[in-house]
Amino acid sequence: MAPLVDGLRYSTLAGYTWAHPRLLLLLPAVVLLFLLREGLAQRRRAKLGVAFVRGQARTHWSALLRFVPDVVLALSLMMGVLALARPQRTDERVEQSGRGIDIVLAVDVSASMELQDLQPNRLEAAKRVAQAFVQGRRGDRIGLVAFAGDAYSVLPLTTDYELLQEELKNLRLGLIPTDGTAIGTALGVATNRLRTAPGRSRVCILLSDGENTAGALDPLTAAQLAHSFGLKLYTIGLGRDGRVPYGKDELGRPRYVETRLDETTMRQIASAGEGQFFRATDNSALRGIFARINRLEQSEIKLTRYRNTHDYYRYYLYWCLGLWLLWLALKNTFLTNALED
């Protein structure tokens, strides 16, 4: 009996999914049908204007009893509509099989990443595209390394993509006090994170806009060391060479500075790590590069979904039949012929 009563609660009804939700539109139609029937009956009912008492006769509460059979019938029909709509609850279980890829993103946060040949600047463009890349991965463990004149691990390998997105968002210019571009050191930190990782494939994606000017570890030596541990290296060179915009002067005119990417070293690093080098001179090219890497490094993750659906229409069918039988009993009693107002 408890499930029958519990099924009438609003919280229970709101918690269902419905196999045929459009049928629920018939619920207000049931009420409107009875109101229309009563209105037509009032208009067509014959009336005799005879007064047996002086003044206005008072209405007695017993006259309302004539509505009881109609209310019971309306409730029975509404329960029938709920049963036809098939209330359900679905339990879903997802099993993941296969192994993902271990990836470390090494992002340059040196002062030159403020240049504006990528919009709004090189660092912000790199962050946005990296966030979109992370959002498209499934089952991979991804870590984050930031570097300028030094390098450190911002986040170890994790599948907590929300935390990773937050850490990417928090990357900023001046995050590392030591200025410069320590590409070799960044590769060393990434290698240290990935060398013991259990993934079937281990990948480092390095984003930088300059040449190695800091750090004690030579980039090519770091790349060879990474390769010895089975790491694949992708390098992305950000920005254009030559004069690029960098803020405005006191009069509001654009300022320009000279910049150069050591493309030769970036290519050698990618070659040593059996990866690829990409050059991103604008935002669109940068998005395309990450899309290509996303296709090249696919995870072998299989998701198996198990759905177990439980129907609850029987409770409302029982209410429908019970109220229908009650209506049949009431229509043959004095309630049907109770005095009207």
Side-chain angles (χ1 to χ4, degrees), residues 60-266:
H60 194 268
W61 65 268
S62 62
L64 298 175
L65 294 176
R66 66 189 175 90
F67 294 111
V68 172
D70 286 345
V71 171
V72 172
L73 178 59
L75 290 174
S76 174
L77 293 176
M78 293 173 77
M79 293 298 164
V81 169
L82 291 177
L84 288 173
R86 284 189 65 187
Q88 299 174 334
R89 287 198 180 100
T90 301
D91 299 324
E92 186 174 62
R93 181 165 53 91
V94 179
E95 288 188 0
Q96 178 176 299
S97 59
R99 272 189 160 180
I101 297 171
D102 292 320
I103 302 172
V104 166
L105 296 171
V107 183
D108 189 346
V109 294
S110 62
S112 58
M113 291 290 283
E114 194 175 2
L115 298 182
Q116 297 166 344
D117 47 351
L118 277 70
Q119 297 299 320
N121 60 45
R122 292 176 177 180
L123 179 59
E124 290 300 320
K127 285 164 54 177
R128 292 174 185 177
V129 179
Q131 286 177 305
F133 173 78
V134 169
Q135 194 171 3
R137 306 303 296 187
R138 293 291 182 272
D140 299 329
R141 299 197 311 162
I142 304 177
L144 180 62
V145 170
F147 69 95
D150 200 355
Y152 74 93
S153 178
V154 177
L155 193 68
L157 294 168
T158 181
T159 55
D160 188 346
Y161 296 154
E162 288 186 10
L163 178 60
L164 180 58
Q165 294 278 17
E166 190 65 28
E167 293 297 340
L168 278 168
K169 184 179 177 181
N170 291 335
L171 291 181
R172 67 184 188 279
L173 299 165
L175 181 65
I176 298 176
T178 309
D179 199 17
T181 307
I183 294 175
T185 306
L187 288 174
V189 174
T191 301
N192 194 47
R193 281 294 180 194
L194 287 167
R195 62 189 178 90
T196 58
R200 69 175 184 87
S201 181
R202 290 169 286 180
V203 176
C204 174
I205 303 173
L206 184 139
L207 298 95
S208 180
D209 68 344
E211 55 185 337
N212 189 71
T213 59
L217 184 59
D218 177 68
L220 292 181
T221 303
Q224 293 166 359
L225 180 65
H227 178 61
S228 68
F229 284 110
L231 275 63
K232 185 182 290 187
L233 303 178
Y234 290 98
T235 56
I236 302 175
L238 299 171
R240 301 190 300 267
D241 290 337
R243 285 166 53 84
V244 296
Y246 176 57
K248 296 182 179 180
D249 61 18
E250 295 79 2
L251 299 177
R253 295 173 300 190
R255 288 187 302 186
Y256 291 88
V257 297
E258 289 287 337
T259 182
R260 186 179 76 87
L261 172 72
D262 186 1
E263 186 171 317
T264 302
T265 301
M266 297 284 276

Side-chain angles (χ1 to χ4, degrees), residues 26-40 77:
L26 295 175
L27 290 175
V30 172
V31 178
L32 291 174
L33 180 66
F34 278 85
L35 292 176
L36 180 62
R37 173 177 172 272
E38 185 62 24
L40 292 174
L77 293 176

